[in-house]
Amino acid sequence: MNQKRRTNDIIASEILKLCMNGASKTRIIHKANLNFLSAKSHLESLMNNGLMEAVPTGTRVIYRTTPKGAELSQVFSQFHNEMDKLFSYA
């Protein structure tokens, strides 16, 4: 079995993209393929750095990417696209 582990920057990038229009913790866990504890850790880190915000909506909390987080997500995407070009052997 040859599976690569994702780095924290890739996970953060995935979470930021998922939360552009808002997402619940459950949706983040499922779509980013994380467990509850790792999702909690990543969300706390992103919020502590001003990249995401937790918005209470009734009994639920929706996580949204902040403008600063959206900018970082765009930089991540550009970087990953360039790295993919660099290391593609087509």
Side-chain angles (χ1 to χ4, degrees), residues 51-89:
L51 302 171
M52 292 188 62
E53 60 185 355
V55 181
T57 56
T59 58
R60 297 176 57 194
V61 173
I62 299 297
Y63 295 89
R64 295 190 197 277
T65 303
T66 63
K68 180 180 174 184
E71 187 177 327
L72 182 60
S73 179
Q74 185 177 10
V75 171
F76 273 147
S77 292
Q78 290 172 344
F79 174 76
H80 290 140
N81 287 338
E82 291 301 317
M83 293 304 287
D84 287 343
K85 287 181 203 174
L86 181 64
F87 292 108
S88 68
Y89 301 107

Side-chain angles (χ1 to χ4, degrees), residues 2-89:
N2 188 13
Q3 293 182 343
K4 285 182 155 182
R5 295 186 70 148
R6 295 179 294 170
T7 58
N8 286 333
D9 64 320
I10 291 174
I11 295 170
S13 177
E14 290 175 8
I15 293 172
L16 290 171
K17 284 181 197 173
L18 281 169
C19 295
M20 287 291 186
N21 296 317
S24 66
K25 189 181 290 186
T26 302
R27 181 172 174 82
I28 295 165
I29 288 168
H30 288 287
K31 293 289 185 176
N33 196 24
L34 299 169
N35 65 42
F36 180 82
L37 291 176
S38 62
K40 181 181 178 191
S41 173
H42 285 288
L43 289 170
E44 286 176 358
S45 178
L46 291 167
M47 287 189 294
N48 288 340
N49 287 288
L51 302 171
M52 292 188 62
E53 60 185 355
V55 181
T57 56
T59 58
R60 297 176 57 194
V61 173
I62 299 297
Y63 295 89
R64 295 190 197 277
T65 303
T66 63
K68 180 180 174 184
E71 187 177 327
L72 182 60
S73 179
Q74 185 177 10
V75 171
F76 273 147
S77 292
Q78 290 172 344
F79 174 76
H80 290 140
N81 287 338
E82 291 301 317
M83 293 304 287
D84 287 343
K85 287 181 203 174
L86 181 64
F87 292 108
S88 68
Y89 301 107

